[in-house]
Amino acid sequence: MNFTRWSARLPGTQRRAAARTDPPLPPDRRPDGSVPPARAEQLTDEAPPVPAVDDLPVRDVLDRVPALVALVHGPDHRLAYVNGAYVGAFGDRTLGERAHEALPELAELGLFPLLDQVQRSGRPRTLKSRKAPDGRSYTFTCTPVTEPHDGDGDGGVLVFATDVTDHAEAAARLRASERRQRETAVTLQRSLLPQELEEPDDLRVAATYHPGGTEAAVGGDWYDVITLGGGRTALVIGDVMGRGVRAAAVMGQLRTAVRAYARLDLPPHEVLQLLDGLATEIDANQIATCVYAIHDPNEGRLVYASAGHLPILVRDQNGTVQRADEPTGPPLGTGGWMHTSGSIALTPGSTAVLYTDGLVERRNEDLDEGIAALERALSGATGTPQVVCDRLVRSAGVTPDHDDDVAVLVLQHPARKGAEAERFRNAALELLGGVEAAPRARAFASGVLTSWRFPTDLHDLGVLATSELVANSLQHGTPPMRLRLRRTDRRLIIEVTDGDDHLPRRRRAEPGDESGRGIAIVATIASNWGSRRTPGGGKAVWCEFLLPKR
């Protein structure tokens, strides 16, 4: 093979040859190239002439470069040349053989289809960072040295391999470091989420969390279920903006704060107001979205407040899905906003879904389209909360390589029938009149508890607690007053409401005091007790007794 003719085809050779012109002869040089004797001594101090690039033998240049170079030609890629660096890496090669036999290492790297493509298209192609059989990593550039439409049909390809082992190893170390950081963030994230959800008496709940894929850092998604007592349940879902350990740490602080504020039994908007100020103190540059909702089985509604979060979806017993769009305030951490509470019906047989944006947000797609798709999936989703949860995740196309965290919280208000419905009963009495309201309340409670077939000891404790709560309301509260008894499959709940918003507190009465012992007695005999302000002004004081296990 005429290597000189091939070298003339190397990229840039023609361009440099065309640009080169013969320099004019200096006045002290003869046409034949000799130097006049009188000037010979003056030339000894001058630098020797530097040859032009085109004057350097191509073979000598390629033999000296540290990169691996091989030249193949013809449709079957016969080996025309390999340089010393190539031989040093892979051993001696026989010229003239087909590359499949002469260069088996290229076959292992899957380079032959690329050679065919380069020869057909006449355009160079690059294959980045492939690990060769010698254990080192190379970036291969394949360049055509003749155009495929040449008359002799003797097209060839120059294979140029650059050793990038150091870069590849550095990239591998970086990926390993990122993987360890991601595993740390995932571990932290999962440890801060509830390991087991609390199980309310009147709701069935399930939740799931899917961290982003290996290329995405873990975010700050979280959820929680908090039993407030008196049959009420708080449900929370949120998303801290940002990625990594910092977002997970902020999420943990906010989740802990939510649980603390929930114990105050405040309205949802007041809880978000407190969280807003706390988020600013934690990190002024970090914001988070959140929905805080409270379910009261006596009301049949879900009262909620939203801080920039996606709307709650509720599917009724007939499959109709409603979206709780309003009211929505700005995210937590922005400050200067008064949040407000709204409500949406959650009747028996209904299913509600709280979720983060990873479930519905997609690149190049409007967010409303994702929410609408989730509504369609929810309308046909039946079964237990866990089944619904899994179906919604699958319908959204969430995979292990998903580019964002996904958190989903599903709650159902079961429609109970038959024997199960007998274990969930309600009874209420309006407390009218003066001092005669107390004995009437005791008689009412005694009759209800007897009809519910409670054992004698629990019956007597229930009547005593009713008497003390009603007496406390008559003495310190204002009309309207109401007594409510409620039983579930796990507990008996007694609640008294009145029009005064002053919350009672447990205190120690002195021996000579004529009052102050009612709440202390209730706290002593009951499993739990508490009080809260009601939305219309006023308060509710409640206590509960655990039922014996059957």
Side-chain angles (χ1 to χ4, degrees):
M1 178 179 182
N2 188 341
F3 193 88
T4 304
R5 180 173 67 84
W6 279 82
S7 66
R9 299 287 189 177
L10 292 176
T13 303
Q14 300 90 335
R15 188 166 58 251
R16 292 194 298 269
R20 187 182 63 206
T21 58
D22 294 331
L25 291 174
D28 57 353
R29 187 174 294 276
R30 296 175 179 176
D32 59 1
S34 61
V35 179
R39 307 280 301 198
E41 293 181 359
Q42 299 178 13
L43 296 177
T44 57
D45 294 334
E46 295 182 4
V50 178
V53 174
D54 291 338
D55 294 334
L56 297 176
V58 175
R59 182 185 294 271
D60 291 344
V61 173
L62 297 181
D63 281 341
R64 294 175 183 274
V65 297
L68 280 57
V69 180
L71 181 64
V72 297
H73 71 95
D76 53 356
H77 303 308
R78 292 191 176 274
L79 182 61
Y81 167 78
V82 290
N83 71 345
Y86 198 104
V87 172
F90 300 115
D92 292 331
R93 294 293 183 264
T94 304
L95 301 182
E97 287 189 353
R98 295 175 66 250
H100 281 276
E101 291 78 23
L103 305 173
E105 59 278 354
L106 299 189
E108 293 184 27
L109 294 169
L111 206 64
F112 287 120
L114 191 65
L115 296 180
D116 295 333
Q117 183 181 4
V118 170
Q119 197 170 47
R120 288 193 306 267
S121 66
R123 296 181 178 179
R125 295 288 187 271
T126 298
L127 195 65
K128 294 184 177 180
S129 192
R130 290 295 178 93
K131 194 168 186 178
D134 65 346
R136 302 190 68 79
S137 298
Y138 298 92
T139 290
F140 291 87
T141 300
C142 300
T143 306
V145 293
T146 59
E147 298 296 334
H149 52 72
D150 280 0
D152 57 6
D154 201 18
V157 180
L158 181 70
V159 180
F160 191 91
T162 306
D163 191 336
V164 294
T165 304
D166 292 342
H167 296 286
E169 292 177 350
R173 289 193 297 269
L174 178 60
R175 288 193 297 270
S177 176
E178 291 175 345
R179 184 169 58 253
R180 288 192 297 269
Q181 291 182 10
R182 182 180 182 279
E183 291 172 354
T184 300
V186 170
T187 302
L188 176 61
Q189 175 87 346
R190 290 194 180 279
S191 67
L192 293 174
L193 290 173
Q195 304 304 303
E196 292 184 4
L197 293 178
E198 297 184 19
E199 298 181 0
D201 294 359
D202 295 272
L203 297 177
R204 299 292 177 262
V205 295
T208 186
Y209 169 73
H210 293 268
T214 55
E215 299 300 324
V218 176
D221 295 15
W222 93 91
Y223 55 83
D224 210 346
V225 177
I226 309 166
T227 52
L228 302 177
R232 290 154 49 87
T233 306
L235 305 121
V236 193
I237 196 162
D239 184 2
V240 177
M241 303 304 172
R243 303 280 183 178
V245 175
R246 178 58 181 167
V250 173
M251 176 275 288
Q253 294 177 79
L254 290 178
R255 176 175 176 259
T256 302
V258 169
R259 295 192 68 86
Y261 294 146
R263 299 306 175 192
L264 301 176
D265 212 343
L266 300 171
H269 65 275
E270 292 189 23
V271 172
L272 290 191
Q273 210 69 49
L274 294 172
L275 282 177
D276 186 31
L278 180 64
T280 304
E281 294 178 7
I282 293 174
D283 190 340
N285 298 318
Q286 200 93 40
I287 62 174
T289 64
C290 179
V291 166
Y292 182 86
I294 294 177
H295 175 255
D296 189 334
N298 297 314
E299 303 295 335
R301 303 188 68 81
L302 200 62
V303 181
Y304 67 91
S306 175
H309 203 80
L310 299 172
I312 300 172
L313 301 182
V314 177
R315 175 190 183 273
D316 65 18
Q317 199 167 10
N318 300 320
T320 303
V321 178
Q322 287 185 301
R323 183 187 302 189
D325 277 327
E326 297 294 342
T328 299
L332 304 176
T334 55
W337 181 268
M338 294 299 295
H339 293 275
T340 56
S341 295
S343 67
I344 187 170
L346 190 69
T347 55
S350 297
T351 300
V353 179
L354 292 76
Y355 52 96
T356 57
D357 57 2
L359 186 67
V360 295
E361 191 172 32
R362 299 293 180 271
R363 294 179 182 177
N364 304 320
E365 186 176 303
D366 188 77
L367 182 60
D368 282 337
E369 295 179 8
I371 298 176
L374 182 62
E375 289 178 343
R376 292 191 294 271
L378 178 59
S379 66
T382 57
T384 66
Q386 189 60 59
V387 170
V388 174
C389 201
D390 295 339
R391 288 188 61 179
L392 296 181
V393 170
R394 286 196 303 270
S395 69
V398 177
T399 65
D401 296 327
H402 199 60
D403 60 359
D404 195 6
D405 290 22
V406 173
V408 183
L409 178 62
V410 175
L411 57 132
Q412 289 180 344
H413 187 185
R416 298 180 174 88
K417 299 179 180 178
E420 185 183 16
E422 289 295 320
R423 296 197 296 269
F424 290 81
R425 305 288 294 274
N426 285 280
L429 174 69
E430 299 295 333
L431 298 175
L432 304 175
V435 293
E436 69 274 12
R440 189 164 61 249
R442 288 193 294 270
F444 175 79
S446 178
V448 169
L449 297 181
T450 300
S451 68
W452 289 349
R453 300 178 182 177
F454 282 169
T456 303
D457 56 345
L458 183 58
H459 170 279
D460 294 342
L461 290 175
V463 172
L464 176 58
T466 300
S467 177
E468 295 298 335
L469 292 180
V470 170
N472 182 80
S473 181
L474 290 172
Q475 183 174 357
H476 302 289
T478 59
M481 300 178 185
R482 191 181 194 200
L483 168 65
R484 176 181 288 156
L485 304 178
R486 176 174 173 77
R487 70 157 294 170
T488 70
D489 58 345
R490 304 176 193 173
R491 70 198 78 226
L492 165 67
I493 302 168
I494 303 171
E495 182 180 83
V496 176
T497 60
D498 63 58
D500 185 85
D501 63 358
H502 178 73
L503 299 180
R505 60 185 179 87
R506 182 179 180 180
R507 64 187 181 90
R508 183 175 180 177
E510 297 297 331
D513 292 344
E514 296 182 358
S515 62
R517 294 180 177 83
I519 296 299
I521 292 173
V522 171
T524 301
I525 65 175
S527 304
N528 194 14
W529 80 281
S531 62
R532 70 178 187 279
R533 290 186 173 88
T534 53
K539 66 177 179 294
V541 185
W542 56 268
C543 69
E544 58 187 30
F545 297 86
L546 294 179
L547 301 185
K549 295 182 179 180
R550 296 184 179 182

